[in-house]
Amino acid sequence: MIEIKDLGKSYKTDEVETLALQKLNLKVEEGGFTAIMGPSGCGKSTLLNIIGMLDSPTQGSYNFSGIEVGGLKERQRTAMRKGNLGFVFQSFNLIDELTVFENVELPLIYLKMGLAQRKEKVIQVLDRMKISHRKKHYPHQLSGGQQQRVAIARALVTKPKLILADEPTGNLDSKNGIEVMNLLTEMNQEGTTIIMVTHSERDSYYAHNIVNLFDGQIVSDSSNKLRAMS
Amino acid sequence: MLKNYLTIAWRNLKKNKAYSIINIGGLALGIAVTLIIALWIEDEISFNDYYTNKSKIAQVFQSQTFNGEIGTGPAIPRPLEVAFRDNYLDNFEHLVMSSWNNSQYLKYGDKSISKSGNFMQRGAPEMLDLKILEGEKDGLREINSIMLSESVANALFGEEEAIGKVIEVNNQYDMQVTAVYEDIPVNNSFNDAEFLMPWEKYITTQEWVKEAINSWGNNSFQMFVQIADNTSMQAVTDKIRNVKKELDEDNAQFNPQLFLFPMEEWYLRGNFEKGKQVGGRIKYVWLFGIIGLFVLLLACINFMNLSTARSEKRAKEVGIRKSIGSQRNQLIKQFLSESFIVVCFAFFLAIFIVLLSLDGFNELSRKEISFPWQNVLFWIVSIFFILITSLIAGSYPALYLSSFRPVDVLKGTFKAGKYEGLPRKILVVLQFTVSVAFIIGTVIVMQQINHAKNRPIGYDKEGLIQIPTFSQDFTGKYELMRSEFLGSNAVIEMSTSSSPTTRIWSNRNGFTWEGKPEGFQEDLAWTEVSHEYAKSLNLKIVEGRDFSKEFATDSNAVLINQTAVKYLGLSNPIGVLIKDDSEEDPDPPLRIIGVVEDMITQSPYERVKQGMYVFDKHGNGSYYNLRLNPKQSASQNLAVIERVFKEHFPGLPFHYDFVDDEYGKKFSAEERIGTLSGIFTALAILISCLGLFGLTSFVAEQRTKEIGVRKVLGASVFNVWNMLSKDFLKLVVISCFIAIPISYYLMNGWLQDYPYRVIIEWWIFVLAVVGALAITLLTVSFQAIKAASVNPVDSLRTE
């Protein structure tokens, strides 16, 4: 599903060029669950942003479902993201001015789906996330765990091929964290590919394979033996 | 999608109430000003729309050259009518000779009223397409007929039928009412024609009019025409241009040039200089139009600035929307719909403001503008206006906010760039440039008015009243009335004059005097006065003596003003004989017996015209000039004067004017402009300050952490206030540097219209700069001190 070859990303300021990612190669199969780990500043989020087409690489190629997306312009990347990708962020990133229902509905509006169909899908996904009783609430009226469930609902509502999760449990207590990881696993078992950036050893157990980054390079890419053992 | 946009826009407005109030309030003020100005402009440009034949009606004007100076005006001689009828009649649908609009006493039974109207030829009602309510349109057919406006008919007859009734005019002759026409609305020429009488009546009742039939030099009449359908104004002008020059050999030296001045241009383009049309009120239409647009722009700038200042708050939303599939154009549409909602709210609030202020504005601008609720065009234009304003106000924020990269904002690393604030600064500079220019402009207009008001006028206008004496009843009664009024103790001096004190009604030429330069073409203001004229006005004699009853020869005496001494080139004016060079003139020459101080009778902004005050031996006085007894109150004096007046003229209404009020009217146009520009300046500053206030609060909010850290490190409230204020002060200083040369250039140009004008002094600019800085400091300081006074722990916790 994803094939990355010799990918690099550098940031230039007036005097300094910083290499965030260099000569990176990665393959993610459809239905996989990959955890990207590494110390702060190693390039995890940069890699996730490039995979999520929020950012573009400065070198190398990035092939998504058979399409080279590395050199696409913002407008084309947006079109590719729509319906194909779902995002789950550490800080939830819900729109404060929209209710739970409206936040989840938003990606469907951008897909130009009809009202009745939108309503049906949103209710379905909210039921599944066990948050439909809060559908008229605003984000600030929810707990962190509830907000993250709404964020996952929003990522899932378009039935994307790939969900990108950036530290999804980073702002949650352990109980809510486990709940969120179980939800992601469930999604994955239903066929959704998941790529997750995490610092948490515990969360990485849920992944099929773990990619370790250090200074913008992959230092190990292995199947998750612990998970396999369990 | 649209619903989603509108939902979020509405919730954003509700959530940020202060921001919304500033934005909507400021924009509403701007739109209200623009709306009021638009209604005023519409009223101005629709002047004379009452007349269905507007595009075909014109007045015959002539330009004449006196000593190289070209004068242009509507006064024409009677023989011109005959020339036109004989040779050019096929060019006209109607040709109408007319008197000037004059007050007459109309009496029916016990009721006697003074109303103004014209003597006009038979075609007038048809040409003007008067709306006849009773009677016939051809109401000037009979010589003893009179057409009345509805309000005059009501005033005279009340509920009774007017047609066929006989009214007495000036206690002199009877006229039968043949028609009642709808009152001509205020914003139209002839609005003051409250009655019409036949031109033939004018000729038969006024000897001088009858005598003018062959006098090409007597330019005392008006001619209106409606051109034929198969021709144009220009084509007719080309034909008539030299008619007078060719037929009037005596005055050919003045090169009289005739032309048709179209009704469509009377009101807005009625000024002439050197024989050329040079605009007129149209410049105020442009001026206020531009002011309206600028005020609206200021309000739009507030919207742009406050929207972009909030960018960091909106960045997250933009990032999320983009990450889940929103295209940039969808975000642009979203932000534009937000601005649309704000503009819609502002527009409806603006209508409310307009409705509240329309009466006051009408009073100020002397208009009768009403809100055009039923005008479909107004609403269509309003919709366009809302859309365009939304686009102007929303375009920059929409483009700016939608350009954020999702990766930056979602990573939480989004910080506005180094130059992000630059456009905002430019907009603030633009706002204050306009505001400072408005301040300078208003101060200069006010100064010019005061300059003209403080100008010595040559006589004492306080405690002086004038009573019109047009009726035949006054004939031969001057000496009697003078002794009655003086005997009443309400009046300390009295005189008569052929023109009101504040006007020149007659100009003359065709004189000779010793030492007159060869080819000199004089043009002198001519007023016929009684012996006591100078005394009653407290007009100072600077050389020679006043008229005196002791000198029988004073019946041929004349006083001239100081300007006339220079104009006529007289080094020793007393005793000089001024002779009418027409051979038919039976009168002996006029002897100059004295020189009076220049007195302002025309525009206080122009130089005083050379004038002669001739002893009135024919009893041509049109006004009594009464100097009230200063030892009694004006109301006491007036009560006594009215009683005396009524004893002698029981059938005439007692009508008088205070000369200082009449003189004050000369400033009304400029005072209106001054007051209006003062109000618009205040609103422009208020709108700019609203924006600045909002902007300061956002800057203070953005820098909360910095303020906290600085305070922890020892910064005082003053240090923080200084830090937050100086950035804005710098912008205002830049604005002043831009506004000063622009406003100097524009106001200097405006002042060129006035020969008697103020000099633009440097302190005006200093005043504007100090004013702008003070206003800025006041606005900014409130927020700056508030932010600086917060406990640093709270500031850091906020972050």
Side-chain angles (χ1 to χ4, degrees):
Chain A
M1 184 186 202
I2 289 173
E3 193 170 357
I4 286 170
K5 276 187 191 161
D6 295 332
L7 189 120
K9 175 77 183 173
S10 59
Y11 297 101
K12 277 184 192 166
T13 57
D14 292 343
E15 292 162 7
V16 189
E17 182 175 2
T18 311
L19 283 171
L21 298 172
Q22 26 181 331
K23 297 242 173 221
L24 204 134
N25 293 297
L26 179 68
K27 233 178 179 179
V28 177
E29 298 298 336
E30 200 156 339
F33 190 156
T34 302
I36 302 171
M37 298 189 74
S40 291
C42 69
K44 302 185 297 289
S45 292
T46 307
L47 178 59
L48 194 77
N49 286 332
I50 290 173
I51 295 171
M53 295 177 227
L54 294 174
D55 205 352
S56 54
T58 44
Q59 281 172 352
S61 84
Y62 167 27
N63 191 299
F64 179 83
S65 291
I67 301 165
E68 176 56 45
V69 294
L72 294 183
K73 291 186 176 149
E74 166 60 19
R75 189 183 168 78
Q76 295 163 313
R77 291 205 304 268
T78 304
M80 280 294 289
R81 279 200 298 270
K82 219 181 324 188
N84 285 322
L85 304 182
F87 291 90
V88 179
F89 302 99
Q90 177 181 354
S91 51
F92 325 130
N93 279 341
L94 298 173
I95 295 178
D96 300 335
E97 289 75 22
L98 297 180
T99 61
V100 165
F101 184 95
E102 289 161 343
N103 262 291
V104 177
E105 186 191 22
L106 202 54
L108 301 177
I109 292 176
Y110 289 126
L111 283 172
K112 296 189 174 144
M113 194 176 279
L115 179 67
Q117 212 182 343
R118 284 202 313 258
K119 205 169 171 182
E120 189 191 326
K121 281 186 176 278
V122 173
I123 294 293
Q124 259 179 22
V125 77
L126 288 178
D127 280 346
R128 188 165 169 196
M129 293 297 138
K130 299 186 179 71
I131 195 81
S132 52
H133 61 293
R134 295 278 194 168
K135 67 180 178 188
K136 288 186 178 165
H137 288 69
Y138 287 93
H140 66 90
Q141 296 170 315
L142 305 178
S143 70
Q146 286 172 326
Q147 287 192 48
Q148 195 61 300
R149 272 193 276 155
V150 176
I152 294 171
R154 187 179 64 186
L156 277 179
V157 75
T158 58
K159 293 210 165 68
K161 292 179 186 163
L162 173 65
I163 286 184
L164 296 148
D166 192 355
E167 304 265 13
T169 62
N171 280 0
L172 301 177
D173 58 31
S174 59
K175 185 176 166 246
N176 277 309
I178 290 167
E179 207 172 297
V180 163
M181 287 314 299
N182 284 338
L183 276 171
L184 289 175
T185 309
E186 215 176 291
M187 303 304 116
N188 178 245
Q189 283 164 355
E190 287 170 13
T192 309
T193 311
I194 292 176
I195 300 177
M196 173 179 72
V197 162
T198 183
H199 272 117
S200 159
E201 281 286 331
R202 189 196 66 207
D203 289 355
S204 72
Y205 295 159
Y206 291 85
H208 299 163
N209 65 316
I210 298 170
V211 174
N212 273 300
L213 282 182
F214 188 77
D215 280 351
Q217 288 178 310
I218 295 177
V219 290
S220 71
D221 181 359
S222 59
S223 62
N224 194 337
K225 289 178 186 122
L226 283 171
R227 183 184 161 87
M229 279 161 65
S230 69
Chain B
M1 187 77 83
L2 187 66
K3 186 175 163 249
N4 184 267
Y5 294 160
L6 298 181
T7 305
I8 204 157
W10 170 240
R11 286 178 194 162
N12 258 316
L13 286 179
K14 272 205 307 190
K15 191 173 159 190
N16 305 290
K17 288 191 182 71
Y19 157 82
S20 305
I21 288 169
I22 290 175
N23 232 349
I24 294 175
L27 209 48
L29 267 182
I31 293 174
V33 170
T34 313
L35 265 181
I36 285 181
I37 290 177
L39 292 175
W40 179 82
I41 290 177
E42 204 276 329
D43 192 79
E44 288 283 286
I45 59 179
S46 64
F47 201 89
N48 278 338
D49 271 3
Y50 186 70
Y51 302 112
T52 45
N53 303 319
K54 180 182 175 183
S55 62
K56 297 276 178 187
I57 297 174
Q59 184 167 15
V60 178
F61 265 52
Q62 67 167 326
S63 294
Q64 294 192 90
T65 309
F66 297 96
N67 284 326
E69 274 184 39
I70 304 175
T72 303
I76 50 110
R78 272 196 71 193
L80 201 60
E81 182 204 351
V82 181
F84 278 11
R85 287 199 190 277
D86 286 351
N87 305 309
Y88 303 97
L89 197 56
D90 55 342
N91 291 284
F92 305 111
E93 184 71 33
H94 293 288
L95 193 154
V96 174
M97 287 296 288
S98 171
S99 69
W100 304 96
N101 182 282
N102 265 325
S103 291
Q104 312 280 351
Y105 297 109
L106 308 179
K107 190 176 170 193
Y108 176 73
D110 296 339
K111 282 185 192 159
S112 179
I113 52 175
S114 171
K115 292 288 167 187
S116 59
N118 294 51
F119 292 91
M120 294 182 97
Q121 281 179 324
R122 192 174 164 182
E126 185 74 34
M127 178 179 80
L128 299 176
D129 194 18
L130 295 179
K131 313 286 180 289
I132 303 297
L133 304 174
E134 283 178 66
E136 52 179 329
K137 201 163 204 169
D138 192 12
L140 299 177
R141 194 175 60 239
E142 302 293 336
I143 191 166
N144 290 322
S145 55
I146 185 167
M147 297 175 77
L148 301 179
S149 69
E150 188 182 3
S151 54
V152 171
N154 287 339
L156 283 174
F157 312 119
E159 296 294 306
E160 288 177 43
E161 162 132 16
I163 304 302
K165 295 254 164 39
V166 175
I167 56 177
E168 194 179 56
V169 179
N170 287 341
N171 279 359
Q172 198 182 352
Y173 46 84
D174 289 341
M175 302 294 272
Q176 190 170 36
V177 180
T178 50
V180 175
Y181 56 88
E182 184 183 88
D183 285 353
I184 298 169
V186 172
N187 61 336
N188 289 282
S189 306
F190 303 109
N191 155 257
D192 51 0
E194 297 171 288
F195 62 82
L196 297 178
M197 288 193 280
W199 172 252
E200 291 72 20
K201 192 74 188 175
Y202 192 40
I203 298 171
T204 53
T205 53
Q206 305 279 335
E207 197 59 32
W208 70 273
V209 179
K210 195 189 286 179
E211 286 168 4
I213 182 68
N214 293 317
S215 172
W216 281 98
N218 188 349
N219 296 303
S220 301
F221 309 96
Q222 302 185 87
M223 188 195 286
F224 299 96
V225 298
Q226 181 184 333
I227 58 167
D229 287 341
N230 58 356
T231 187
S232 68
M233 296 280 177
Q234 189 56 51
V236 180
T237 292
D238 290 343
K239 288 179 189 167
I240 63 167
R241 185 172 286 124
N242 289 314
V243 170
K244 188 182 170 193
K245 194 176 177 183
E246 285 159 9
L247 295 173
D248 176 22
E249 286 172 13
D250 289 345
N251 290 305
Q253 54 176 326
F254 303 123
N255 189 27
Q257 297 285 302
L258 303 171
F259 63 94
L260 294 188
F261 184 37
M263 185 184 237
E264 286 176 333
E265 299 184 1
W266 290 355
Y267 183 66
L268 291 178
R269 294 179 177 84
N271 290 1
F272 291 86
E273 257 174 39
K274 295 177 182 166
K276 302 261 184 255
Q277 208 175 349
V278 289
R281 288 180 68 93
I282 188 73
K283 73 177 170 189
Y284 294 118
V285 171
W286 279 108
L287 177 74
F288 284 115
I290 290 168
I291 288 177
L293 286 180
F294 269 123
V295 173
L296 181 65
L297 182 68
L298 295 185
C300 287
I301 287 175
N302 278 357
F303 182 93
M304 294 182 204
N305 275 348
L306 295 181
S307 304
T308 55
R310 295 173 67 239
S311 61
E312 285 186 30
K313 290 199 162 187
R314 300 298 298 269
K316 183 182 127 187
E317 182 194 333
V318 170
I320 296 167
R321 284 181 181 270
K322 281 195 167 182
S323 72
I324 58 178
S326 173
Q327 293 282 6
R328 188 175 179 199
N329 60 2
Q330 288 172 315
L331 284 166
I332 289 174
K333 279 184 208 157
Q334 182 195 331
F335 289 117
L336 283 178
S337 17
E338 285 188 19
S339 91
F340 176 74
I341 284 201
V342 169
V343 174
C344 281
F345 276 121
F347 185 80
F348 291 113
L349 186 57
I351 288 181
F352 185 65
I353 296 172
V354 169
L355 290 174
L356 283 181
S357 52
L358 206 51
D359 283 347
F361 180 78
N362 276 336
E363 204 171 304
L364 204 65
S365 60
R366 304 236 175 106
K367 292 271 185 194
E368 288 182 10
I369 300 169
S370 54
F371 197 83
W373 292 111
Q374 285 158 349
N375 187 336
V376 179
L377 184 69
F378 169 79
W379 294 108
I380 294 172
V381 171
S382 295
I383 291 169
F384 274 106
F385 177 79
I386 290 174
L387 290 174
I388 288 169
T389 310
S390 311
L391 205 64
I392 296 171
S395 56
Y396 171 59
L399 291 171
Y400 174 69
L401 295 172
S402 64
S403 69
F404 296 157
R405 280 159 38 92
V407 62
D408 296 333
V409 290
L410 295 179
K411 268 199 299 192
T413 57
F414 174 78
K415 278 280 163 202
K418 193 168 149 191
Y419 297 108
E420 179 269 340
L422 188 63
R424 217 155 40 234
K425 286 178 183 167
I426 292 171
L427 291 175
V428 170
V429 167
L430 181 60
Q431 261 188 333
F432 273 84
T433 301
V434 174
S435 299
V436 171
F438 276 10
I439 294 176
I440 294 171
T442 305
V443 172
I444 292 175
V445 170
M446 296 297 190
Q447 253 212 318
Q448 168 67 1
I449 295 167
N450 286 334
H451 181 64
K453 273 187 173 172
N454 294 334
R455 182 180 178 184
I457 63 166
Y459 66 98
D460 181 8
K461 64 182 186 316
E462 312 298 328
L464 187 64
I465 63 165
Q466 53 190 30
I467 298 174
T469 58
F470 306 130
S471 168
Q472 291 292 318
D473 291 22
F474 292 96
T475 310
K477 289 194 176 162
Y478 169 65
E479 289 300 340
L480 169 69
M481 290 312 296
R482 182 166 185 274
S483 94
E484 289 283 315
F485 282 135
L486 290 179
S488 74
N489 203 32
V491 174
I492 56 168
E493 190 48 275
M494 174 177 165
S495 64
T496 66
S497 56
S498 59
S499 305
T501 317
T502 51
R503 300 264 194 88
I504 293 173
W505 274 4
S506 182
N507 295 292
R508 294 273 176 107
N509 57 55
F511 298 108
T512 52
W513 63 94
E514 201 180 321
K516 179 181 179 181
E518 187 69 31
F520 188 81
Q521 298 160 325
E522 70 285 349
D523 174 31
L524 289 145
W526 175 276
T527 313
E528 293 178 39
V529 299
S530 64
H531 283 104
E532 309 81 7
Y533 186 67
K535 267 191 222 98
S536 64
L537 265 64
N538 286 344
L539 183 59
K540 200 173 156 195
I541 310 283
V542 291
E543 200 178 340
R545 64 171 177 85
D546 196 357
F547 293 115
S548 168
K549 287 177 179 168
E550 288 170 18
F551 297 97
T553 50
D554 273 6
S555 61
N556 293 310
V558 61
L559 297 170
I560 62 171
N561 65 10
Q562 290 167 302
T563 303
V565 175
K566 285 180 223 141
Y567 180 78
L568 300 173
L570 305 173
S571 52
N572 196 3
I574 306 303
V576 171
L577 293 174
I578 308 279
K579 191 174 177 308
D580 190 322
D581 60 8
S582 104
E583 286 165 10
E584 298 140 26
D585 185 31
D587 288 331
L590 300 167
R591 179 184 297 277
I592 299 174
I593 58 163
V595 177
V596 295
E597 201 168 344
D598 280 343
M599 112 183 204
I600 299 172
T601 42
Q602 291 179 301
S603 167
Y605 303 104
E606 285 172 17
R607 68 173 185 81
V608 172
K609 184 167 181 173
Q610 53 282 358
M612 301 169 84
Y613 301 93
V614 185
F615 179 72
D616 178 14
K617 60 184 172 191
H618 302 297
N620 285 336
S622 300
Y623 284 91
Y624 286 168
N625 307 304
L626 276 66
R627 167 74 56 195
L628 303 183
N629 184 350
K631 291 180 184 155
Q632 295 179 170
S633 72
S635 56
Q636 272 178 310
N637 286 330
L638 286 169
V640 173
I641 292 168
E642 181 171 10
R643 183 176 48 75
V644 173
F645 183 93
K646 284 286 182 190
E647 277 170 18
H648 292 271
F649 308 107
L652 298 178
F654 176 57
H655 179 85
Y656 65 91
D657 293 307
F658 273 98
V659 172
D660 55 351
D661 288 345
E662 291 300 300
Y663 186 76
K665 286 178 188 168
K666 293 178 184 293
F667 299 93
S668 58
E670 281 73 15
E671 274 181 327
R672 273 204 295 278
I673 293 160
T675 314
L676 286 176
S677 59
I679 291 171
F680 293 143
T681 301
L683 287 173
I685 292 169
L686 177 66
I687 292 169
S688 302
C689 286
L690 270 178
L692 203 59
F693 184 82
L695 219 49
T696 322
S697 64
F698 277 113
V699 170
E701 197 180 314
Q702 271 176 345
R703 297 174 79 168
T704 304
K705 183 183 170 190
E706 180 193 341
I707 292 167
V709 172
R710 281 177 185 267
K711 287 195 76 179
V712 167
L713 295 175
S716 65
V717 170
F718 174 77
N719 295 141
V720 176
W721 168 81
N722 184 39
M723 175 188 88
L724 290 173
S725 305
K726 74 178 177 201
D727 284 349
F728 289 108
L729 285 180
K730 271 187 220 163
L731 298 181
V732 174
V733 169
I734 294 170
S735 306
C736 292
F737 277 110
I738 301 171
I740 286 171
I742 293 174
S743 47
Y744 176 81
Y745 174 77
L746 294 176
M747 293 315 292
N748 198 38
W750 178 75
L751 283 174
Q752 296 309 309
D753 287 349
Y754 301 98
Y756 186 80
R757 58 181 173 260
V758 73
I759 293 164
I760 301 178
E761 288 178 274
W762 59 270
W763 62 261
I764 295 172
F765 302 108
V766 174
L767 182 79
V769 172
V770 171
L773 289 176
I775 290 166
T776 309
L777 269 181
L778 270 177
T779 312
V780 172
S781 294
F782 178 79
Q783 286 294 347
I785 293 172
K786 197 172 132 196
S789 307
V790 172
N791 189 341
V793 176
D794 295 336
S795 308
L796 295 172
R797 194 183 295 141
T798 304
E799 188 63 20

